[in-house]
Amino acid sequence: MLKKIKLNKNWNFSLSKNYNSSNVSIDKRLSLSKQFPATVPGTIHTDLLNNKIIDHPFYSDNELRLNWIPECDWVYQTKFDFKGNLKNNVDLVFDGLDTISEIYLNEVKLGGTDNMFVKYRYNVRNILRAKGNELKVLFKSPTRFAADEEKKYGKLPVALNSNRVYIRKAQYSFGWDWGPTFPTSGIWRDVYLEEWSVAKIENATFNTISINKKTAEVEVNVDVNTSEKKNISLEVSLFNGDAVYKEILLLNSSSQNKISFKIKDPKLWWPNGEGEQNLYLLNVKLVKEKIVLDEIQKSVGIRIVELILKEKDISTFKFRVNNKDIYSKGVNWIPADSFLPRVSKKKYFELLLLTKQANMNIVRVWGGGIYEHDIFYDLCDE
């Protein structure tokens, strides 16, 4: 069975020795490269605040007093033991690193990152030790990186801070009309080890192909990463409380697997105010000789959403859900905090509940923010 071993605990941070402290006045403890406790997931601003090195960023004009923070390079590090089996595959996974960084495990450089929004994965089986592993992430200054890129390639005609567009980082952090300027650094999403033997599920997607009055055709696509395919089967089931649909197939030479179901009398998902938000439970298992190698469960809705741009040769712009035109009532979603890891599941729930109670049926995720956490989309589905 695939095992996920979280590495969010026992982190420390310090100012990198590459920092030139002559430009600004900073805490002496930082200039001496002293290590402080860090929170993961977190940001450098909140770690400095938690350790009482800075005053609250939102107070008074502290925004202007803290612009030295993104000019610095920062080091995050932890130590851990590995109690798993080193004969298995072991991946080190970062769900989110903000943004320009270098990663070292036991003094071996695994790679560098330059995109806040993507997951980074490294095979570390041959580097891991049973005891005393040292993991270090060096974060480079986002503002210096962006400024250097702009010098190299030229200034672009964009609003506000122009060099922000040269870094793949949430653009709001460079300041916007609604929020302050706090370009952050840090491990802003989970970090963990994935231990697996011969196969694991990389991804599983669910799509509604067609709907009519009595049936719906749906499709499940599963990507599998495997070192062998002999005697490994894929078990896919769909359950809604009344009926269970299940298919079993042996893995073939392709890593991509497609399973189709015909659902009788489907319980459709509808937008807020148009009907119920019916959801089915999708379960995907990888099985070898009755042993479950990996498993994914998620809630899915049977629905077809279309954007209609032309009707009877006349240009239009409207949404059609399950063959029904929907009157759109929408809101714009910006990040719920300048420091993203502080947004709890409770806060997501409370804000989206207010959206529902206001009779909205569309939430536009603003492009200057982030690709939101799965919990955001799950709550919207619910």
Side-chain angles (χ1 to χ4, degrees):
M1 183 74 174
L2 182 143
K3 296 179 183 177
K4 182 182 285 189
I5 305 151
K6 282 197 174 183
L7 300 178
N8 290 346
K9 295 182 179 180
N10 303 318
W11 284 84
N12 294 305
F13 78 95
S14 59
L15 184 67
S16 170
K17 295 178 181 179
N18 295 332
Y19 174 65
N20 181 359
S21 60
S22 63
N23 294 334
V24 293
S25 176
I26 63 171
D27 190 296
K28 288 184 179 179
R29 293 174 295 171
L30 287 175
S31 62
L32 295 173
S33 297
K34 176 178 169 61
Q35 292 190 6
F36 298 87
T39 300
V40 172
T43 73
I44 184 59
H45 287 77
T46 48
D47 282 334
L48 290 168
L49 177 63
N50 292 339
N51 284 277
K52 299 181 180 180
I53 297 172
I54 62 172
D55 294 328
H56 200 291
F58 292 166
Y59 180 74
S60 185
D61 62 348
N62 282 349
E63 173 188 5
L64 304 177
R65 302 173 189 272
L66 300 179
N67 56 16
W68 58 272
I69 298 174
E71 290 291 313
C72 301
D73 295 351
W74 300 94
V75 180
Y76 279 73
Q77 49 196 332
T78 187
K79 292 183 179 181
F80 65 93
D81 296 334
F82 178 65
K83 297 179 181 179
N85 187 348
L86 288 173
K87 293 181 180 180
N88 287 332
N89 295 292
V90 185
D91 295 336
L92 173 63
V93 185
F94 291 90
D95 278 346
L97 291 169
D98 185 9
T99 294
I100 309 301
S101 77
E102 295 176 357
I103 303 166
Y104 297 86
L105 178 61
N106 297 332
E107 300 185 351
V108 176
K109 184 177 180 179
L110 302 181
T113 74
D114 59 4
N115 190 331
M116 172 184 179
F117 306 113
V118 301
K119 179 183 295 187
Y120 289 91
R121 178 184 298 272
Y122 304 94
N123 186 327
V124 295
R125 180 177 63 179
N126 296 326
I127 304 172
L128 270 180
R129 301 190 290 246
K131 296 279 188 179
N133 293 283
E134 298 182 5
L135 178 58
K136 180 172 74 173
V137 184
L138 169 62
F139 288 99
K140 305 287 186 69
S141 161
T143 48
R144 293 206 319 267
F145 174 87
D148 289 346
E149 293 295 290
E150 186 177 66
K151 287 178 184 177
K152 192 185 305 182
Y153 297 108
K155 188 173 182 177
L156 296 172
V158 298
L160 306 176
N161 187 331
S162 62
N163 62 35
R164 63 181 171 80
V165 298
Y166 279 109
I167 184 170
R168 195 77 176 101
K169 176 176 173 62
Q171 297 293 281
Y172 81 90
S173 65
F174 291 91
W176 219 261
D177 56 353
W178 54 262
T181 302
F182 293 125
T184 55
S185 294
I187 304 170
W188 75 285
R189 284 182 168 167
D190 288 336
V191 51
Y192 50 91
L193 295 171
E194 274 190 356
E195 180 189 349
W196 54 286
S197 54
V198 295
K200 67 172 180 173
I201 301 167
E202 291 285 8
N203 192 33
T205 59
F206 176 88
N207 296 298
T208 304
I209 306 303
S210 64
I211 293 172
N212 59 43
K213 291 182 179 180
K214 293 185 178 181
T215 61
E217 184 182 356
V218 301
E219 185 177 275
V220 181
N221 289 280
V222 184
D223 294 336
V224 176
N225 184 350
T226 177
S227 56
E228 65 173 76
K229 296 183 173 64
K230 187 177 180 181
N231 298 326
I232 298 179
S233 62
L234 192 62
E235 298 183 4
V236 180
S237 62
L238 203 58
F239 174 68
N240 74 341
D242 295 328
V244 178
Y245 299 85
K246 187 173 183 178
E247 289 283 344
I248 300 176
L249 62 117
L250 291 173
L251 291 189
N252 53 34
S253 58
S254 172
S255 63
Q256 298 177 327
N257 303 269
K258 183 186 297 183
I259 300 95
S260 297
F261 295 105
K262 282 195 175 181
I263 310 298
K264 294 180 180 179
D265 300 318
K267 294 182 178 180
L268 302 183
W269 181 97
W270 292 96
N272 184 31
E274 301 293 338
E276 296 297 320
Q277 288 74 56
N278 295 303
L279 295 171
Y280 287 68
L281 180 65
L282 173 65
N283 183 274
V284 181
K285 290 181 183 178
L286 268 183
V287 180
K288 180 180 174 65
E289 297 169 352
K290 297 183 179 182
I291 297 173
V292 177
L293 301 176
D294 197 3
E295 182 175 9
I296 289 178
Q297 283 192 357
K298 59 170 71 176
S299 294
V300 296
I302 297 178
R303 60 197 167 194
I304 291 180
V305 182
E306 301 171 271
L307 174 59
I308 309 301
L309 296 176
K310 186 161 284 192
E311 198 168 47
K312 296 180 181 179
D313 294 327
I314 299 175
S315 294
T316 185
F317 190 100
K318 62 183 178 181
F319 289 97
R320 184 172 293 161
V321 181
N322 303 335
N323 300 317
K324 179 182 177 181
D325 290 351
I326 301 297
Y327 184 81
S328 300
K329 296 166 287 185
V331 293
N332 186 43
W333 178 277
I334 61 172
D337 196 305
S338 289
F339 307 116
L340 297 167
R342 299 201 305 193
V343 185
S344 64
K345 291 182 179 180
K346 181 182 178 184
K347 188 168 187 178
Y348 276 117
F349 177 82
E350 290 172 346
L351 291 173
L352 288 170
L353 182 60
L354 290 173
T355 307
K356 175 184 172 69
Q357 292 170 343
N359 298 311
M360 298 296 108
N361 58 19
I362 289 181
V363 179
R364 167 189 182 255
V365 179
W366 178 61
I370 60 169
Y371 300 89
E372 280 293 352
H373 287 271
D374 286 348
I375 185 63
F376 170 88
Y377 301 101
D378 291 342
L379 287 169
C380 286
D381 270 349
E382 292 171 14

